[in-house]
Amino acid sequence: MREPTGADEATSGMGIVTNEATAARGVVVLQDLPGGEDVPGGAWQGILPSRQATWVLAVLLFATMLVQGMVNPIAVLIDGSGSWSNPISFGLSVFLLVALFGLQSATVLLATRWAVLAVFATMAVYVLAVFVINAPSWVAPMQLAVVASLFLLGTRRPARVTLPVLGSIILIGAAAFAGWGTAFGLTPGVIIGFALGQVVGFAASLAAAAVLGLWWGAQTRRVEQLRALAAAERRDQEERLAQAREAERARITQELHDVAAQHITGLLSLTEAAAFIAEESETDALALLAEARAEARFAAASLVSALNELRATGQARADTTPDVRRIDDLVAFWQRRDLRVSLRTSGEFDSLPAMISTTGYRIAQEALTNVAKHVTGSTAEVIVTATADELEIVVENGPARGATSDSHTVGLGWGLTGLRERVALLGGVLSAAPTEAGGWRVQSTIPLTDVGRHTTAMGLA
């Protein structure tokens, strides 16, 4: 069974949505499902999943008919007082009865490929037994095989095939009993009564078997359709998750590249500057080397974080991408490193789109990193505000209390430039400028509009 697919997931800030192609493939699956009138398999397989199962059914039918059919011959032997009026001897009649039971049970095997033929074959053997054995009550158990084959036909074929076969079998049975009565020399009134008595009960069993078979077949095909659709959803989900993982790995790789380029360039600039001024001002050179050491520490931390994300495999990364819900962890991280930073938050963060929430965290992270690197002894405040319309991130620091670094010229703002581009993709703005008090203010506003959510869903990470 072919299994196309469909899903509706989101992972690592990348939205995953079902599309029209998925639905189209689902329709193809339903059209290609087995169980149609010209395709082997389908609902039939749910009842007789293998040829061995069909043989087991035939053996069970033979055993059941043998047990029921031997009641009358045994009763004759026990009675011993009645005369045997059939042209065929009693022993030969019993032998032929058992043989016809076996032949009719074998015709059920035809149902694996020719369900209609199996019904008429079982009925033909039954009619033959009525005339050969010349005792309708003896061969009555053979109706069971006809009923079983008609039920299997109902599971296999649609009503437009099963119902005409049902009507034909009932007519054949009525004609057979009427013919037997005529051959036996009964009067027309007796023949009609006898035929009706034999056919009514048989027809009721046949009709019940046909209706039950049709119902079973319809339900089984419906279950197969649901299974195929579920398999389609599952495969499409797996495909989309794989695409999302690849996109996320590409994003992390790009971030790793950006981090490495920024910090390594900064380190080179600082060490070259230190070497250049070392002879003229040893104090300034040592200050630049101290700044280079701090830059190296930040570079190592950033690279470790990116590499941890890149190494993660499977359905989920080792650690989820941080967002504004973890902004307090970021502030606590810098507080433990003696940066005097405070936090104010307002609004609900749980319902924010993943991409917007992650971008907000990155803005605060970059701004605090710059404060720690370039504004020694300063205080900083982080303000995160989420409303129904937008997410606002403000990071403002005061003037430095100690010597400030001039490394703005060797890379400060590169990270903010990348974030500014990301914010622009989300329809927002990001500004970074000095304050009148001598500090620095980074402010970003990202709208929570349909455009922003659509950008998130498209996986622009």
Side-chain angles (χ1 to χ4, degrees):
M1 179 172 59
R2 299 198 298 273
E3 299 176 350
T5 56
D8 190 12
E9 282 289 333
T11 179
S12 302
M14 168 173 285
I16 301 177
V17 293
T18 55
N19 52 28
E20 294 180 359
T22 301
R25 290 198 299 272
V27 172
V28 172
V29 172
L30 300 186
Q31 291 175 344
D32 290 346
L33 279 174
E37 54 184 291
D38 298 322
V39 184
W44 169 265
Q45 298 298 331
I47 300 175
L48 300 176
S50 64
R51 184 169 296 276
Q52 291 79 4
T54 309
W55 276 95
V56 171
L57 174 63
V59 171
L60 290 176
L61 286 174
F62 174 75
T64 302
M65 289 187 294
L66 187 63
V67 172
Q68 294 181 349
M70 289 296 101
V71 172
N72 287 318
I74 292 174
V76 171
L77 291 176
I78 293 175
D79 184 21
S81 58
S83 59
W84 185 254
S85 59
N86 286 349
I88 302 176
S89 66
F90 176 81
L92 181 58
S93 296
V94 174
F95 173 79
L96 290 176
L97 181 62
V98 174
L100 289 171
F101 284 165
L103 177 61
Q104 191 189 41
S105 299
T107 59
V108 176
L109 299 175
L110 298 173
T112 56
R113 300 190 63 181
W114 302 287
V116 175
L117 178 60
V119 176
F120 285 106
T122 54
M123 186 63 187
V125 176
Y126 174 46
V127 172
L128 176 64
V130 170
F131 285 93
V132 171
I133 303 302
N134 201 25
S137 61
W138 282 35
V139 299
M142 299 180 74
Q143 295 179 0
L144 178 62
V146 183
V147 170
S149 62
L150 190 60
F151 168 76
L152 296 176
L153 174 64
T155 65
R156 175 73 166 166
R157 301 294 190 186
R160 65 176 180 271
V161 175
T162 303
L163 295 182
V165 172
L166 168 64
S168 300
I169 294 299
I170 293 175
L171 291 177
I172 291 173
F177 288 122
W180 180 85
T182 301
F184 202 71
L186 302 179
T187 62
V190 175
I191 292 175
I192 294 174
F194 170 75
L196 286 176
Q198 293 292 325
V199 170
V200 169
F202 186 30
S205 299
L206 291 172
V211 171
L212 182 60
L214 290 172
W215 174 85
W216 181 284
Q219 293 299 314
T220 304
R221 283 185 285 272
R222 180 174 177 271
V223 170
E224 289 296 332
Q225 290 175 354
L226 293 176
R227 288 178 178 174
L229 190 58
E233 297 263 343
R234 185 167 55 253
R235 176 173 293 182
D236 195 63
Q237 177 184 355
E238 291 172 355
E239 292 176 357
R240 289 177 174 274
L241 285 174
Q243 294 173 2
R245 287 194 295 271
E246 289 302 317
E248 180 69 0
R249 290 177 67 86
R251 181 192 69 78
I252 297 170
T253 302
Q254 182 62 45
E255 184 173 325
L256 181 61
H257 174 271
D258 293 343
V259 168
Q262 174 182 345
H263 290 297
I264 291 175
T265 302
L267 286 171
L268 288 174
S269 299
L270 289 169
T271 53
E272 287 177 358
F276 181 77
I277 66 173
E279 294 182 359
E280 299 180 2
S281 176
E282 182 178 348
T283 302
D284 291 341
L286 290 175
L288 287 174
L289 289 176
E291 181 66 22
R293 182 176 61 182
E295 181 77 16
R297 289 175 178 174
F298 290 116
S302 299
L303 290 174
V304 168
S305 176
L307 287 172
N308 284 338
E309 291 188 271
L310 190 61
R311 277 198 300 266
T313 58
Q315 295 293 330
R317 300 193 308 275
D319 190 16
T320 58
T321 301
D323 54 38
V324 295
R325 292 175 297 182
R326 297 171 58 183
I327 199 75
D328 52 344
D329 294 337
L330 176 64
V331 171
F333 170 84
W334 287 112
Q335 288 174 341
R336 290 193 297 271
R337 284 153 181 79
D338 299 325
L339 179 64
R340 294 182 294 172
V341 56
S342 60
L343 172 66
R344 283 194 294 154
T345 62
S346 64
E348 181 61 42
F349 300 146
D350 290 337
S351 60
L352 291 174
M355 183 60 191
I356 293 177
S357 185
T358 301
T359 302
Y361 180 93
R362 294 299 189 193
I363 293 169
Q365 183 183 47
E366 178 68 19
L368 290 176
T369 299
N370 288 336
V371 172
K373 287 196 298 183
H374 306 297
V375 195
T376 306
S378 175
T379 60
E381 183 179 29
V382 179
I383 305 173
V384 183
T385 305
T387 66
D389 300 320
E390 63 184 19
L391 172 67
E392 183 182 49
I393 305 290
V394 177
V395 179
E396 182 174 347
N397 62 273
R401 293 188 176 183
T404 59
S405 170
D406 293 331
S407 60
H408 292 271
T409 60
V410 296
L412 178 63
W414 290 7
L416 290 178
T417 299
L419 288 171
R420 185 178 289 110
E421 294 174 353
R422 179 179 292 187
V423 169
L425 287 175
L426 297 175
V429 293
L430 185 147
S431 62
T435 64
E436 295 181 358
W440 194 264
R441 178 185 177 90
V442 176
Q443 181 174 0
S444 174
T445 302
I446 306 175
L448 303 180
T449 62
D450 291 339
V451 175
R453 289 191 174 94
H454 178 68
T455 304
T456 302
M458 294 302 294
L460 294 174

